[in-house]
Amino acid sequence: MHEEVENRKSPPKRPFIFYAVIAMIVIMLLNAWVFPSLLRRSVVEVGYDQFLEMIDSDEVKEVSYDETSGQFVFIAERDGENWICKTGIWPDDGERLLQQLMEHDDIKFSATIPTQADPLITFVVSWILPMAFFFLIGDLFYRWMRKKMNGQIPGGMGNAMSFGKSGAKIYVADAKTGVRFSDVAGQDEAKEALVEVVDFLHEPKKYTAIGAKLPKGILLVGPPGTGKTLLAKAVAGEAGVPFFSISGSEFVEMFVGMGAAKVRDLFKQANEKAPCIVFIDEIDAIGQKRNTSGMGGNDEREQTLNQLLAEMDGFDGQKGVVLLGATNRPESLDPALLRPGRFDRRVPVELPDLQGRKAILTVHAKDVKAEPNIDWDVIARATAGASGAELANIINEAALRAVREGRKALTQADVEESVETVIAGAQRKSAVVSDREKKIVAYHEIGHALVAALQSHSAPVTKITIVPRTSGALGYTMQVDEGERMLMSRTEILGKIATLTGGRSAEELIFGEDNMTTGASNDIEQATKLARAMITRYGMTDEFDMVALETVQNQYLGGDASLTCAADTASRIDERVVETVKAAHEKARSLLAQHEPQLHKLAAYLLEKETITGEEFMRLLKE
Ligand code: ADP
Ligand code: MG
Ligand code: ZN
């Protein structure tokens, strides 16, 4: 019982006081009404005559005189039992009584004969016993509740009631079933950093001989689906030491102080099992910046974070406890968590490049039956910007498609179709698209492709299609970057904006300005974003030069930017954005106007075929 009381000392504060008050009230009522009559010794009132008779018949054993009440209290034995009796006397009969008493020298004279029970016993009976009783009931009730909750609600509430248990999953190295580094494709830099950790845990002497200290905490940062959790699992598989894994959100608890207790428990376990690795996934759930405004802070989260910080300082790196964290919101983490001595090493886990994508596709293709002649290079090129999770999904979609179509193995077509499914949604064969709409879509898509092809700096297209998709797109043009480019020049960005406006430009040119459609909304959004970024983030205009006018908020989660400039600057930025997009639109229109015959020819071909490849497109364009 002691331990439980200790552990729950703060959480159920209010209920405890509430019950204590109720118990007090009940005890007081008992004291007022029930106990007095129970505790009072029964005193028999007898007449004076009877008292004298009892003296004569040798029944009286002990006598005392109570001055305050002017009565005699005496103990008499009758039928082998002791009775406490009292009686008054005639006021002037004292002498006769005294004489009578003297005749019986076996009667004792006492100063008092208590008519009340012993005060100590009274206290024990009226206070200590009831309290002990209530504590017992309370404890039994608590145990019963805990049992019931553990049984009924798996996980969640069960954990909530087992106060302060961390609930971390422990993996002990299992080389056969675990994930290995070879299962993680690409991400070579991240792997290198983690291999070092594993090596340290295997052979600490090699490092301590030189005096090298390993970082205590390593933070994996990167966009969702790039393999952070997978990497941590691979470390567990390779490490050969106990691996504690817990998600940040599991520390967030109902009661203040319980998250902190969990952290304490986790580190206690880790210290016992050292050398070992502790992995906290989605660490931003507890590691968020503490509230500096001083109002409406989240007590529970802050306490948990403080506990984590304290524990990280407390453990000895030499003992071999290494902390791994993963997050896709590093900028929201509390700076205290990132300072040297804590999570001081940051390992970026970025979106895979061309080589990385190819490697990831190959790794996942091993799990499915694929025809040997699939050109993964083509697929990798077509999936620029896809994360590892998306690539894994593409393979799975392709496998599903192969099954649907009754094939025994994946074909190139399966994978290509599934790339489009993942990028643009599944084909919507049932969609009814009128001939006129189809025609508009064909010109729109060819408009994009033609503008892209006519500008030397824009990447050529690989595929154009006007098959409707479940995502709502009526067609799209797939542009593929030749290889991976980290940098984009001003000309390239302007060319890209022009390409984006190419679809609408073609519609205007062919069907007239009054017949423009809503189909360009996505193009418009992207073009505007690019133009704005050119001005506010890339410093590509004379007017604002190299001044940062926007800051990116969530680098890895969509990258929302927020303006950091005065209101009139903002309106000047807007003007500049409009100018930029307008100029690009103008350029696209004139390019298309110069090549109208090609536009007609290509659109007609696309209408007929519904899907054409980049090669077909270039061949027709050059004819
Ligand atoms: P996150 O970075 O969001 O934690 P995960 O590690 O959970 O991403 O990755 C999700 C899934 O995507 C993995 O289970 C794996 O199938 C696949 N995946 C992601 N990155 C890779 C990679 N580099 N190599 C192989 N598979 C990967
Ligand atoms: Mg993850
Ligand atoms: Zn478009």
Side-chain angles (χ1 to χ4, degrees):
M1 182 169 160
H2 176 75
E3 215 182 283
E4 273 139 20
V5 169
E6 163 105 0
N7 271 339
R8 66 171 174 181
K9 57 190 164 201
S10 60
K13 222 174 223 157
R14 229 172 59 197
F16 181 73
I17 284 192
F18 176 72
Y19 290 124
V21 166
I22 291 211
M24 278 309 250
I25 290 175
V26 172
I27 292 175
M28 279 172 165
L29 288 178
L30 283 177
N31 272 321
W33 305 101
V34 184
F35 288 149
S37 52
L38 280 183
L39 286 173
R40 201 184 301 133
R41 293 201 193 167
S42 52
V43 176
V44 185
E45 196 115 10
V46 296
Y48 182 54
D49 287 344
Q50 203 184 349
F51 177 40
L52 296 180
E53 268 169 36
M54 286 165 94
I55 292 174
D56 280 338
S57 54
D58 273 343
E59 285 176 345
V60 176
K61 299 274 168 242
E62 202 176 332
V63 173
S64 78
Y65 178 65
D66 185 0
E67 267 183 63
T68 42
S69 63
Q71 285 184 321
F72 279 89
V73 179
F74 61 96
I75 297 176
E77 189 187 304
R78 184 175 275 184
D79 307 330
E81 263 183 89
N82 277 335
W83 295 84
I84 298 176
C85 310
K86 67 181 179 186
T87 180
I89 66 166
W90 280 192
D92 43 32
D93 213 25
E95 255 175 47
R96 201 184 73 163
L97 177 66
L98 204 60
Q99 208 167 8
Q100 200 168 352
L101 285 171
M102 292 303 228
E103 282 168 18
H104 300 261
D105 33 63
D106 53 337
I107 294 183
K108 247 172 75 190
F109 288 89
S110 304
T112 51
I113 293 177
T115 54
Q116 290 287 323
D118 192 322
L120 190 68
I121 292 177
T122 313
F123 180 71
V124 168
V125 170
S126 57
W127 290 100
I128 305 287
L129 281 184
M131 274 203 218
F133 177 72
F134 277 112
F135 265 108
L136 189 73
I137 294 251
D139 188 57
L140 284 178
F141 179 70
Y142 164 71
R143 276 161 204 266
W144 174 75
M145 281 276 284
R146 197 164 74 156
K147 216 174 182 176
K148 201 169 139 169
M149 286 186 155
N150 274 344
Q152 274 183 357
I153 309 156
M157 271 313 269
N159 277 341
M161 296 304 288
S162 59
F163 299 111
K165 288 272 171 283
S166 75
K169 290 185 276 302
I170 307 178
Y171 300 99
V172 180
D174 182 352
K176 276 183 214 115
T177 57
V179 180
R180 310 303 302 258
F181 275 134
S182 56
D183 295 320
V184 186
Q187 310 299 2
D188 293 330
E189 298 78 12
K191 271 198 262 181
E192 213 167 280
L194 296 172
V195 164
E196 197 179 51
V197 172
V198 172
D199 193 45
F200 172 81
L201 294 174
H202 278 315
E203 263 185 282
K205 282 205 191 77
K206 203 165 83 186
Y207 291 81
T208 47
I210 300 189
K213 282 200 195 87
L214 259 206
K216 274 187 190 174
I218 299 175
L219 193 62
L220 303 170
V221 297
T226 46
K228 298 183 293 298
T229 308
L230 189 72
L231 266 168
K233 282 187 189 152
V235 172
E238 300 274 349
V241 296
F243 183 88
F244 295 85
S245 168
I246 190 165
S247 171
S249 60
E250 282 170 61
F251 289 114
V252 181
E253 283 291 355
M254 211 166 13
F255 298 123
V256 171
M258 265 163 59
K262 280 189 166 190
V263 172
R264 220 172 304 137
D265 184 65
L266 175 66
F267 278 84
K268 203 175 112 204
Q269 282 187 52
N271 266 325
E272 282 163 8
K273 294 258 159 63
C276 67
I277 295 169
V278 176
F279 174 52
I280 305 179
D281 207 354
E282 316 289 351
I283 198 169
D284 43 287
I286 45 165
Q288 255 175 48
K289 283 197 184 79
R290 278 165 292 186
N291 204 325
T292 44
S293 69
M295 270 179 18
N298 183 335
D299 260 5
E300 162 63 357
R301 221 189 44 223
E302 281 179 19
Q303 266 195 29
T304 311
L305 176 57
N306 286 339
Q307 187 67 39
L308 180 64
L309 296 177
E311 295 287 351
M312 286 195 76
D313 286 342
F315 76 78
D316 175 9
Q318 293 305 315
K319 226 176 140 187
V321 179
V322 175
L323 233 85
L324 277 183
T327 179
N328 36 39
R329 300 172 57 195
E331 69 288 328
S332 78
L333 291 181
D334 197 284
L337 201 55
L338 303 175
R339 75 139 167 79
R342 293 187 183 141
F343 280 105
D344 47 3
R345 190 186 281 192
R346 208 182 249 239
V347 176
V349 186
E350 298 286 352
L351 288 173
D353 56 9
L354 183 61
Q355 286 308 313
R357 289 199 300 276
K358 198 174 159 187
I360 293 172
L361 285 168
T362 326
V363 162
H364 284 277
K366 274 195 212 118
D367 300 336
V368 294
K369 265 198 199 133
E371 296 206 327
N373 60 353
I374 293 183
D375 189 350
W376 294 111
D377 208 49
V378 170
I379 312 293
R381 275 179 199 285
T383 46
S387 69
E390 282 165 326
L391 293 172
N393 189 22
I394 283 172
I395 301 271
N396 191 48
E397 286 287 332
L400 291 176
R401 189 181 125 104
V403 173
R404 258 200 312 273
E405 316 235 311
R407 270 192 289 279
K408 289 256 168 359
L410 307 196
T411 63
Q412 179 95 17
D414 286 329
V415 186
E416 279 178 12
E417 173 54 32
S418 112
V419 169
E420 284 176 43
T421 307
V422 170
I423 292 174
Q427 284 191 4
R428 221 171 61 184
K429 299 214 175 72
S430 60
V432 182
V433 183
S434 71
D435 283 351
R436 186 180 154 73
E437 271 178 335
K438 254 194 178 157
K439 205 168 157 192
I440 293 174
V441 174
Y443 275 100
H444 179 108
E445 296 306 333
I446 295 293
H448 283 308
L450 203 51
V451 173
L454 293 172
Q455 303 177 100
S456 50
H457 290 287
S458 288
V461 295
T462 46
K463 188 168 184 175
I464 309 167
T465 164
I466 53 169
V467 178
R469 297 273 157 181
T470 46
S471 66
L474 292 176
Y476 66 88
T477 302
M478 234 161 85
Q479 291 190 41
V480 172
D481 296 306
E482 288 279 300
E484 220 65 31
R485 262 188 279 117
M486 296 295 189
L487 298 174
M488 259 180 115
S489 71
R490 196 182 126 99
T491 324
E492 281 166 338
I493 297 184
L494 287 173
K496 203 162 177 188
I497 299 176
T499 302
L500 284 164
T501 59
R504 165 63 65 79
S505 302
E507 289 182 44
E508 286 168 347
L509 195 68
I510 306 300
F511 304 98
E513 292 209 358
D514 292 338
N515 293 316
M516 59 173 72
T517 67
T518 55
S521 64
N522 188 36
D523 303 337
I524 290 168
E525 199 182 315
Q526 283 190 44
T528 312
K529 244 190 204 160
L530 266 178
R532 180 172 284 276
M534 256 179 93
I535 297 160
T536 59
R537 281 162 52 199
Y538 305 142
M540 286 179 173
T541 51
D542 281 342
E543 184 174 353
F544 299 109
D545 207 52
M546 290 179 58
V547 174
L549 300 166
E550 257 180 3
T551 49
V552 176
Q553 222 97 78
N554 277 327
Q555 185 189 354
Y556 294 123
L557 299 173
D560 290 336
S562 65
L563 281 177
T564 49
C565 60
D568 71 308
T569 315
S571 68
R572 263 160 55 217
I573 293 171
D574 289 340
E575 280 167 29
R576 200 62 62 236
V577 170
V578 172
E579 250 169 52
T580 310
V581 175
K582 225 174 184 166
H585 188 183
E586 217 47 69
K587 184 180 172 197
R589 252 203 310 229
S590 75
L591 273 174
L592 289 175
Q594 286 163 32
H595 297 84
E596 209 179 317
Q598 281 99 324
L599 180 59
H600 282 300
K601 187 170 69 175
L602 284 160
Y605 187 75
L606 178 60
L607 255 179
E608 185 198 334
K609 298 265 177 179
E610 290 205 326
T611 301
I612 61 175
T613 64
E615 285 99 62
E616 281 175 284
F617 177 86
M618 291 312 280
R619 204 186 63 230
L620 275 167
L621 182 61
K622 283 189 184 126
E623 267 174 13

